[in-house]
Amino acid sequence: VTVTDPGGATGTDAVVLDVIDSPPVPLIASPSDGTDFALAGGGTIEIPLNGSATDANEGPGPGAGTLACSRLSWSVSGTGASIAPEIGCSATLTATQAGPLTVTLTARDSVAQAAETSVDVTVTTCVGNCAPNASFVITSDYGWAPESVYWLSSPISVTATIGDPDVPPNNPIAYTWVLDPPFSAPDIVLESGTVVDPDGAPSASLPFTFTPGEHVLPWSNCALPGAYLDHWLRLEVEDALGATYQTQRTVKLGCSLD
């Protein structure tokens, strides 16, 4: 910048700006890291995959934007497993034998900057009555990605995929949605019901929407801007013969002042 005073004297100063194109930030929404999936002997299991990515340089305005699904690619390491389609926000992992698997989601932005994230899952062979399989993804689109904070007053939408690997499946499969508060507060049962898995693959789709403020009381520091507490949303399932399974993920619940 150059300045000139009334007498014609001038002064100049300059700064050097280093503009950096940061890589995208991929997020695997489902399955969670460390999840186990049961596989009946000689069978096949299909595990739904869901992911997204943000990029600080791809937003329509200031702040990060969400990458198009065409810029996401899936891969898996391990034996007896494959993923299709390999490109997109959603895909299906098919496994035909037991063992550990690593699922990787790679995101590439418009200038070919790439980043990846991975989760480890385990496929186990069950003997006798297999435990049901279940996973879920939060489908609400108003959170602060990648680790979204949801207001107590705003509905949260999730979609679960439930199945029983036994042939034939031990239907019906009972399910319960539970919200586990922090500290030593008791669990909050949000909803219970049953679903029927028609073919042994985890294909029974279960949408569910709840408003946290209808179940959770505001806490004392709700008046603080940005205050939130970690809760755990858990899905518990049980087949008709009593085999059980559960999966959960952290949900950051923030206080809204309306």
Side-chain angles (χ1 to χ4, degrees):
V1 60
T2 300
V3 295
T4 304
D5 67 14
T10 63
T12 300
D13 193 16
V15 295
V16 177
L17 300 178
D18 187 9
V19 179
I20 300 174
D21 182 72
S22 57
V25 180
L27 169 70
I28 297 178
S30 175
S32 301
D33 188 53
T35 303
D36 293 339
F37 293 93
L39 173 69
T44 298
I45 183 173
E46 295 181 348
I47 302 170
L49 308 176
N50 294 278
S52 62
T54 58
D55 193 296
N57 311 291
E58 300 283 338
T66 301
L67 291 185
C69 292
S70 60
R71 297 191 178 275
L72 304 181
S73 60
W74 297 91
S75 60
V76 58
S77 61
T79 58
S82 61
I83 291 178
E86 294 182 350
I87 304 297
C89 292
S90 299
T92 299
L93 167 64
T94 301
T96 58
Q97 65 185 72
L101 301 173
T102 298
V103 178
T104 300
L105 176 63
T106 302
R108 291 179 174 81
D109 64 17
S110 58
V111 295
Q113 283 266 43
E116 64 181 36
T117 186
S118 299
V119 295
D120 294 322
V121 300
T122 302
V123 177
T124 60
T125 301
C126 55
V127 178
N129 181 28
C130 295
N133 292 309
S135 62
F136 68 89
V137 58
I138 299 176
T139 55
S140 300
D141 58 0
Y142 48 76
W144 306 338
E147 291 194 1
S148 299
V149 175
Y150 300 96
W151 299 125
L152 289 178
S153 58
S154 300
I156 297 179
S157 297
V158 299
T159 299
T161 305
I162 299 174
D164 188 281
D166 292 295
V167 182
N170 292 317
N171 288 309
I173 304 171
Y175 68 85
T176 302
W177 289 103
V178 177
L179 191 63
D180 186 5
F183 315 120
S184 57
D187 292 350
I188 301 169
V189 176
L190 302 174
E191 183 180 86
S192 297
T194 60
V195 294
V196 173
D197 177 14
D199 57 11
S203 56
S205 180
L206 178 66
F208 174 57
T209 299
F210 70 100
T211 301
E214 296 177 357
H215 308 276
V216 177
L217 294 176
W219 44 92
S220 59
N221 63 348
C222 264
L224 299 177
Y228 69 84
L229 287 176
D230 283 344
H231 291 62
W232 289 265
L233 180 61
R234 185 168 68 250
L235 175 61
E236 301 173 349
V237 292
E238 180 177 353
D239 70 16
L241 297 183
T244 62
Y245 179 78
Q246 65 181 35
T247 182
Q248 67 179 22
R249 58 192 322 114
T250 303
V251 177
K252 299 179 182 295
L253 297 184
C255 295
S256 55
L257 302 181
D258 53 4

